[in-house]
């Protein structure tokens, strides 16, 4: 089995002499990534910076990031899983069928060369983007890639990390984990946390229309959800907290304008490597912060009579 | 105001051994007398100072990583329902923060020490501790693989290293420091380990694990920190590691040290097939060296999640078990590894581990120097402590359990030969009075006038497990937090931190090094005081006796 073998970004900066980006376009989507954390940085053990590092890019098409790469491997769309599986076999020294590899758009020699480089490096890292985890195969692709990184540790140091985006998604993930035990897709309707991605994830609930109110904070589902989900948001009372007008705020029943966290109100953001950063306001805003609005809503709700008629204890299941 | 009357009081710090006497409480403290207020009739009950867990993993990046990695554990774990007074949550191997507070308090524990905090993610740890209700908290900062400190030791700059350590403790708002596999985790950053105490660490010429251990122990004592260096030795879990542990202890003569989860460091044999208990040899040395304290790190059969900063060990465990593996290396400071694990009574290695934990608790003759822990959730979950207490109190039950082990295990362990049975007085020491003293928390672990009114009251019962699993009342800071198995008050506890003094010029040295080696700005690195909920600064007043 795999798991997740990772590190904070400073380790990449200080040590990574082999950097593989898979299914992402950091040059455009994470514009500071190359310069701040990875290929362009001089590190404690890489005083020569860019020259000391090999960068490989795997993607289905040529993007702006290709220019930054030493090696570009163009995979046929939907064939990521097959490529990773072939790599895992080659890493273990197993025979791989040439014809099967060619279906992916790559040649066996290219993969063997990649594996040789991976084994030769002192510290390898794989960053994988949405192109990998959101296409055919979905979480199976990420799982295979994470397993590849884990297995590489039998030969040399290797880590892997998803390229996450969307503001403070890592922060939301962290808080959900320590309060509910699960990172996302959590349902609290029974008074305790249940987890089932595919059933309780936001997109599933919205598409099925299983909700009768929506509270949207730091996201714009009206821009990204499938149409049936958007229809649900328009049908039910939707409340949006956002500094600006968004697709979601336009279809919401209530839009409360809040100050921008990190510019006008303080807070904490978690980096994609799950390192917390304090946010300090630099400007004043006439609007309240998200936190203040949420607190006031909680205070108002608490004035209502409790709806849970349960005794003060409850333990079910097995310890 | 409150009076507890009629209970048998076990207050070892004040030499009180089961005497029936009243305990009076006002303003959160134990006082000599009160007039009026509530009276708790504790007839037929025993009264203990609230439990103190000196080494546990309940909050922060590593534990939160483990939660995400093991949703299958959460699914079968105890559920905590939202009520008027309590938040929802999940128990199990890696409880959610609110559940952690309820579970500890529900067992009579009122102070817990989160044992492994990196500076880089200390903000996160404090956020989780803020969401851990009822209990008081403190944490240890991971220091045995901090490259800033190691680089200074390589240059022979002891004083600068000392000021750096003090600065880092102040920046992270922790109570003490912990060294985990000193040098080994730093070496793991390039896939290596540090197995020999006296061989240079990969990437260094002079610094070896021994250098780090000896210098950190000295630094902690010179800074006057109330708690000694907390040490997780090299070669954790490996057959034959007792020699490393003994060598390490010898380095510590002349300084204080707390040996964490000693069970995992007390094995003989050459490989997994010949692994055996070396508890007798280790206890013999330990018994004659009063500079040391330790916690058991006992193992119980069943599911666990191993979580440690010891990255190379976790890689080995991943290869041995073929189960999931989580790893998170933290730039310049430390690492962390997570592997779910099941201890099986039928497995020879696990049988030895189970026996060793109990053997150390029975063979180390001074209960003031060994404390009850399971290195939660590594050896077992903290909420299983009552099972261990029961075994400590009954030699016959231990022998019965030994008989169920594989035949091959019997010649490798000593447990069946040990007749010692813990008294209630001794249980109060290893669960409360002892750890409080080792932590230098003068207001904890006792019931004398002036102590924090953290008190656990149990129905006296010959079944130690039943007795200690379900306290009749638990008071935290003088308030009834638990009564008849229900959470009654969830007032937040304090967090204790130390702010050892350092030469402010150390920042001039640290800043440029930091800009080079880290990926956040120096100004964003320290934890802001506002982030630490209920912060209480403890004095750094330890003085080495001449
Ligand atoms: Zn531990």
């Amino acid at each position: 089995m795999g798991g997740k073998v990772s590190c904070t970004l400073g380790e990449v900066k200080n040590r990574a002499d082999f950097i593989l980006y898979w299914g992402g376009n950091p040059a455009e989507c994470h514009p500071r990534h190359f310069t701040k954390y990875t290929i362009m940085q001089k590190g404690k053990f890489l005083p020569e910076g860019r020259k000391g590092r090999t960068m490989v890019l795997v993607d289905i098409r040529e993007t702006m990031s290709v220019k930054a790469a030493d090696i570009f491997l163009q995979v046929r769309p939907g064939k990521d899983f097959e490529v990773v599986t072939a790599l895992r076999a080659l890493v273990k020294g197993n025979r791989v069928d040439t014809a099967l590899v060619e279906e992916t758009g790559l040649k066996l020699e290219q993969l063997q060369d990649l594996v040789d480089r991976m084994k030769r490096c002192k510290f390898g890292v794989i960053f994988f983007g949405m192109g990998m985890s959101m296409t055919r195969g979905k979480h199976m692709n990420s799982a295979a890639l994470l397993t590849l990184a884990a297995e590489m540790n039998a030969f040399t140091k290797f880590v892997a990390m998803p390229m996450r985006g969307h503001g403070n998604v890592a922060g939301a993930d962290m808080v959900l984990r320590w309060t509910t035990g699960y990172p996302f897709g959590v349902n609290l309707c029974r008074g305790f946390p249940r987890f089932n991605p595919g059933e309780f994830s936001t997109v599933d609930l919205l598409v099925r229309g299983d909700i009768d109110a929506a509270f949207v904070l730091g996201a714009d589902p009206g821009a990204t959800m499938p149409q049936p989900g958007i229809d649900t948001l328009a049908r039910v009372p939707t409340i949006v907290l956002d500094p600006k007008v968004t697709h979601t705020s336009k279809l919401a029943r209530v839009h409360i304008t809040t100050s921008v966290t990190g510019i006008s109100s303080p807070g904490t953001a978690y980096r994609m490597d799950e390192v917390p950063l304090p946010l300090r306001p630099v400007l004043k805003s006439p609007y309240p912060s998200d936190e203040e609005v949420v607190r006031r809503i909680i205070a108002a709700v608490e004035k209502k009579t409790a709806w849970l008629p349960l005794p003060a204890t409850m333990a079910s299941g097995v310890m | 105001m409150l009076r507890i009357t009629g209970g048998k009081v076990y207050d070892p710090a004040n030499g009180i051994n089961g005497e029936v006497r009243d305990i009076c409480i006002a303003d959160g403290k134990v006082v000599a007398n009160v007039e009026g207020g509530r009276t708790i009739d504790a007839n037929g009950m025993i009264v203990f100072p609230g439990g103190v867990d000196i080494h546990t993993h309940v909050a922060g990046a590593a534990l939160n990583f483990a939660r995400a990695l093991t949703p299958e554990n959460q699914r079968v774990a105890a559920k905590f329902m939202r009520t008027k007074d309590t938040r929802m949550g999940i128990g199990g191997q890696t409880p959610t923060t609110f559940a952690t507070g309820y579970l500890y308090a529900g067992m009579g524990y009122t102070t817990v020490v989160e044992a492994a905090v990196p500076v880089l993610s200390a903000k996160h740890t404090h956020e989780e501790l803020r969401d851990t209700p009822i209990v008081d908290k403190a944490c240890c900062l991971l220091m045995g693989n901090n490259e800033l400190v190691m680089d200074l030791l390589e240059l022979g700059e002891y004083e600068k290293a000392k000021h750096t350590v003090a600065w880092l403790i102040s920046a992270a708002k922790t109570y003490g420091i912990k060294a985990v596999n000193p040098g080994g985790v730093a070496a793991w950053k390039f896939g290596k380990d540090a197995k020999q105490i006296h061989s240079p660490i990969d990437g260094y010429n002079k610094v070896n694990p021994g250098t780090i251990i000896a210098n950190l122990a000295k630094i902690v004592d010179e800074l006057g920190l109330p708690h000694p260096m907390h040490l997780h030795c090299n070669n954790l879990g490996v057959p034959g590691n007792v020699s490393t542990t003994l060598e390490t202890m010898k380095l510590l003569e002349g300084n204080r040290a707390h040996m964490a989860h000693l069970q995992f460091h007390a094995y003989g044999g050459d490989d997994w097939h010949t692994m055996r208990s070396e508890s007798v040899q280790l206890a013999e040395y330990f018994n004659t060296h009063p500079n040391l304290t330790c916690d058991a790190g006992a193992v119980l059969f069943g599911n666990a999640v191993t979580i440690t900063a010891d990255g190379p060990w976790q890689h080995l465990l991943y290869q041995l078990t073929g189960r999931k593996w989580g790893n998170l290396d933290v730039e310049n400071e430390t690492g962390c590894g997570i592997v779910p694990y099941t201890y099986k009574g039928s497995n020879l290695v696990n049988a030895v581990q189970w026996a060793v934990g109990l053997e150390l608790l029975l063979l180390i003759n001074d209960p003031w120097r060994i404390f009850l822990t399971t290195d939660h959730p590594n050896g077992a979950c903290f909420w299983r402590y009552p099972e261990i207490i029961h075994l400590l109190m009954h030699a016959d039950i231990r022998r019965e359990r030994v008989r169920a082990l594989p035949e091959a295990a019997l010649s490798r362990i000593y447990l069946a030969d040990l007749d010692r049975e813990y008294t209630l007085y001794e249980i109060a020491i290893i669960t409360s009075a002892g750890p409080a003293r080792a932590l230098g928390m003068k207001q904890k672990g006792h019931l004398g006038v002036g102590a924090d009114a953290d008190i656990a009251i149990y129905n006296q019962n010959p079944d130690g497990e039943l007795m200690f699993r379900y306290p009749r009342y638990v008071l935290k800071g003088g308030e009834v937090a638990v009564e008849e198995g229900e959470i009654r008050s969830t007032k937040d506890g304090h967090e204790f931190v130390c702010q050892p003094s350092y030469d402010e010029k150390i920042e001039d040295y640290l800043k440029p090094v930091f800009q080079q080696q880290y990926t956040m700005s120096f100004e964003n690195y320290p934890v802001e005081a506002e982030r630490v909920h209920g912060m209480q600064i403890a004095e750094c007043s330890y003085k080495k006796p001449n």
Side-chain angles (χ1 to χ4, degrees):
Chain A
M1 256 197 247
K4 187 182 170 195
V5 180
S6 194
C7 66
T8 67
L9 288 163
E11 284 298 303
V12 176
K13 164 178 154 172
N14 284 331
R15 296 172 194 266
D17 56 348
F18 179 91
I19 300 172
L20 172 59
Y21 285 97
W22 196 307
N25 178 12
E28 287 178 287
C29 302
H30 296 79
R32 301 266 284 141
H33 205 255
F34 288 157
T35 49
K36 213 164 169 223
Y37 305 117
T38 65
I39 52 173
M40 303 312 289
Q41 275 281 349
K42 288 194 168 83
K44 187 180 180 192
F45 301 97
L46 287 151
E48 70 278 47
R50 179 67 184 88
K51 273 197 235 104
R53 310 186 197 254
T54 302
M55 178 190 151
V56 179
L57 180 71
V58 181
D59 207 347
I60 53 165
R61 60 175 184 280
E62 277 197 43
T63 63
M64 290 284 285
S65 299
V66 173
K67 267 193 284 175
D70 297 304
I71 298 170
F72 172 55
L73 299 174
Q74 190 162 1
V75 184
R76 274 199 197 117
K79 292 289 178 189
D80 298 278
F81 185 82
E82 287 77 352
V83 178
V84 181
T85 308
L87 287 172
R88 285 181 59 201
L90 291 172
V91 163
K92 288 179 190 154
N94 294 335
R95 202 184 60 80
V96 174
D97 193 326
T98 320
L100 281 176
V101 172
E102 274 165 17
E103 279 177 30
T104 68
L106 297 174
K107 295 205 162 53
L108 185 57
E109 302 80 71
Q110 286 176 295
L111 295 191
Q112 188 59 55
D113 173 64
L114 183 60
V115 166
D116 294 343
R117 286 172 189 273
M118 286 166 73
K119 286 192 178 176
R120 268 203 311 273
C121 78
K122 278 192 83 180
F123 186 116
V125 57
I126 303 173
F127 290 104
F128 56 99
M130 303 276 255
M132 175 74 175
S133 52
M134 297 294 170
T135 51
R136 180 169 177 261
K138 288 190 175 176
H139 66 276
M140 297 295 289
N141 294 344
S142 333
L145 207 48
L146 289 166
T147 307
L148 171 65
E151 289 170 348
M152 275 303 297
N153 281 275
F155 305 94
T156 187
K157 180 76 186 185
F158 236 90
V159 296
M161 198 184 306
M163 297 285 282
R164 303 181 77 170
H166 304 305
N168 196 10
V169 61
D173 178 315
M174 296 300 262
V175 176
L176 269 178
R177 274 193 241 165
W178 85 60
T179 51
T180 72
Y182 303 115
F184 63 92
V186 185
N187 184 326
L188 301 173
C189 288
R190 287 192 189 160
F192 62 86
R194 288 181 298 151
F195 172 63
N196 199 11
E199 185 181 7
F200 303 147
S201 313
T202 310
V203 58
D204 306 297
L205 291 167
L206 287 177
V207 167
R208 286 200 312 271
D210 269 1
I211 55 161
D212 43 31
F215 185 84
V216 182
L217 181 61
D220 190 8
T224 53
M225 286 284 152
Q227 193 56 46
I230 294 172
D231 294 343
T232 303
L233 285 172
R235 177 171 56 80
V236 303
T238 293
I239 304 160
V240 172
L241 267 53
D242 210 295
K244 52 193 190 307
V245 173
T246 65
H247 289 91
T248 319
S249 78
K250 281 186 207 152
L251 52 84
R253 202 103 26 119
V254 179
H255 174 196
I256 301 171
T257 307
T258 51
S259 55
V260 182
T261 304
I263 295 181
S264 303
S265 53
T268 305
Y270 281 74
R271 252 171 25 184
M272 61 181 245
D273 58 353
E274 299 183 346
V275 170
L277 288 173
L279 302 175
R280 297 199 183 85
V282 288
L283 296 172
K284 273 201 159 54
S285 165
Y287 300 109
S289 67
D290 291 329
E291 185 185 350
E292 194 190 328
V293 174
V294 174
R295 280 190 193 286
R296 280 162 65 180
I297 292 173
I298 293 173
V301 170
E302 272 173 356
K303 286 203 193 100
K304 299 185 174 252
T305 37
W307 59 274
L308 264 181
L310 286 159
T313 50
M314 161 79 198
S316 73
V318 217
M319 273 269 197
Chain B
M1 275 183 305
L2 197 148
R3 177 186 295 269
I4 301 161
T5 189
K8 282 189 201 159
V9 175
Y10 292 87
D11 181 10
N14 294 303
I16 295 163
N17 184 5
E19 260 173 60
V20 175
R21 53 160 69 201
D22 286 7
I23 304 281
C24 298
I25 295 157
D27 300 323
K29 300 274 181 193
V30 177
V31 294
N33 201 2
V34 285
E35 296 293 335
R38 179 177 176 185
T39 299
I40 289 178
D41 180 1
N43 249 300
M45 300 177 203
I46 58 170
V47 181
F48 267 46
V52 177
D53 198 337
I54 199 165
H55 185 113
T56 183
H57 301 276
V58 290
L63 196 87
N64 220 27
F65 188 1
R67 291 184 184 115
L69 206 63
T70 57
E72 69 278 17
N73 284 351
Q74 271 81 285
R75 195 159 186 108
V76 296
K79 308 297 188 292
F80 287 79
M81 199 83 172
R82 189 178 87 90
T83 70
K84 202 162 79 34
D85 305 308
T86 59
R87 299 269 300 256
M88 50 79 206
I90 287 182
Q93 320 290 322
T94 52
T96 56
T97 53
F98 291 95
T100 298
Y102 308 146
L103 282 166
Y104 263 116
M107 192 173 67
Y109 270 65
T110 46
T111 303
V112 300
V113 177
E114 161 53 53
V117 181
V119 194
L120 194 67
S121 58
K123 294 182 190 77
H124 171 181
T125 311
H126 292 296
E127 299 273 9
E128 284 202 33
L129 291 177
R130 177 189 200 118
D131 276 355
T132 307
I134 307 175
V135 294
D136 285 336
K137 298 144 282 199
C139 11
C140 289
L141 186 64
L142 289 162
M143 194 57 75
N145 294 279
N146 188 295
E147 291 170 39
L148 303 184
V149 175
M150 287 165 71
D151 293 351
L152 284 167
L153 293 177
E154 176 83 357
L155 297 169
E157 297 263 22
Y158 173 79
E159 281 300 311
K160 262 192 190 166
K162 183 167 102 183
H163 292 297
T164 301
V165 171
W167 187 89
L168 289 166
I169 294 170
S170 297
K173 305 284 185 293
T174 63
Y175 188 77
I177 66 163
K178 180 197 190 193
V180 173
N181 184 358
V185 182
W188 170 242
K189 304 283 179 68
F190 276 133
K192 310 274 182 358
D193 196 358
K195 301 203 150 292
Q196 304 294 331
I197 297 291
H198 299 293
S199 307
I201 292 154
D202 194 56
Y204 291 85
N205 295 316
K206 287 196 213 126
V207 177
N208 58 46
T211 329
I212 300 174
I213 293 163
N215 280 297
L216 285 181
K218 200 170 148 210
I219 286 172
V220 169
D221 284 359
E222 288 183 8
L223 292 176
L225 290 169
H227 181 49
M229 175 183 61
H230 210 96
L231 177 62
H232 157 147
C233 293
N234 302 68
N235 291 320
L236 172 138
V238 180
N241 63 8
V242 70
S243 56
T244 307
T245 312
L246 287 167
E247 253 184 290
T248 303
M249 287 176 168
K250 283 179 192 138
L251 288 170
L252 293 163
E253 288 177 17
N255 288 103
R256 299 173 300 166
H258 177 81
M259 313 296 291
H261 38 71
L262 200 55
Q263 179 277 130
F264 286 108
H265 304 276
Y267 310 142
D270 304 313
D271 53 35
W272 299 110
H273 305 287
T274 55
M275 180 167 143
R276 51 174 293 115
S277 163
E278 286 298 350
S279 59
V280 170
Q281 197 189 344
L282 200 56
E284 245 165 45
Y285 181 92
F286 192 92
N287 281 336
T288 54
H289 290 80
N291 58 317
L292 302 174
T293 55
C294 72
D295 62 86
V299 153
L300 289 170
F301 299 125
N303 288 328
V305 180
T306 66
I307 303 179
T308 166
D310 200 337
W313 163 251
Q314 293 297 76
H315 179 232
L316 178 68
L317 201 58
Y318 158 67
Q319 290 179 315
L320 286 172
T321 60
R323 289 177 72 168
K324 290 184 228 185
W325 174 34
N327 179 83
L328 180 69
D329 294 339
V330 180
E331 59 207 65
N332 309 302
E333 291 180 16
T334 181
C336 116
I338 297 152
V339 179
Y341 193 82
T342 307
Y343 294 95
K344 295 191 185 111
S346 56
N347 175 301
L348 191 62
V349 170
N350 297 160
V352 170
Q353 292 178 307
W354 172 79
V356 170
L358 296 167
E359 287 169 9
L360 288 170
L361 280 157
L362 296 162
L363 288 164
I364 290 175
N365 48 33
D366 181 0
W368 288 95
R369 294 204 288 127
I370 181 162
F371 316 124
L372 177 58
T373 68
T374 54
D375 192 16
H376 163 83
N378 284 282
C381 294
F382 67 79
W383 41 262
R384 294 182 69 188
Y385 288 172
E387 294 174 47
I388 301 172
I389 295 177
H390 192 49
L391 291 171
L392 293 175
M393 293 177 76
H394 301 284
D396 52 335
I397 296 173
R398 294 197 300 263
R399 291 202 179 94
E400 198 184 296
R401 300 279 172 86
V402 168
R403 278 196 292 276
L405 298 179
E407 184 84 41
L410 304 186
S411 60
R412 297 156 190 250
I413 60 175
Y414 301 98
L415 191 58
D417 307 331
L418 306 179
D419 296 320
R420 181 174 167 195
E421 293 187 331
Y422 267 69
T423 60
L424 288 173
Y425 189 71
E426 288 173 321
I427 296 294
I429 299 172
I430 64 165
T431 57
S432 175
R437 184 178 287 180
L439 287 164
M441 293 181 177
K442 295 191 178 74
Q443 74 285 26
K444 299 292 181 194
H446 72 101
L447 300 173
V449 168
D452 286 351
D454 301 346
I455 304 172
I457 305 172
Y458 304 93
N459 281 318
Q460 193 153 14
N461 190 319
D463 184 329
E465 186 179 337
L466 259 180
M467 173 163 57
F468 287 104
R469 191 181 289 284
Y470 304 108
R472 184 71 178 268
Y473 303 94
V474 180
L475 279 70
K476 172 64 187 38
E479 286 194 24
V480 178
V482 180
E483 188 170 353
E484 318 261 358
E486 290 188 359
I487 302 284
R488 288 287 157 87
S489 138
T490 59
K491 210 170 130 188
D492 287 333
H494 294 288
E495 198 185 331
F496 302 111
V497 307
C498 286
Q499 301 277 279
S501 52
Y502 52 84
D503 179 355
E504 280 177 17
K505 285 203 288 290
I506 196 68
E507 291 199 2
D508 300 336
Y509 166 75
L510 288 174
K511 215 170 168 174
V513 178
F514 189 91
Q515 305 292 29
Q516 242 166 36
Q517 287 178 216
Y518 275 84
T519 48
M520 68 162 71
S521 70
F522 191 65
E523 290 66 32
N524 284 338
Y525 189 56
V527 177
E528 319 85 311
E530 320 73 272
R531 208 180 278 269
V532 186
H533 194 50
M535 181 165 82
Q536 285 200 347
I537 296 174
E539 262 181 80
C540 292
S541 55
Y542 169 78
K543 287 236 162 30
K544 201 170 159 178
N546 292 322

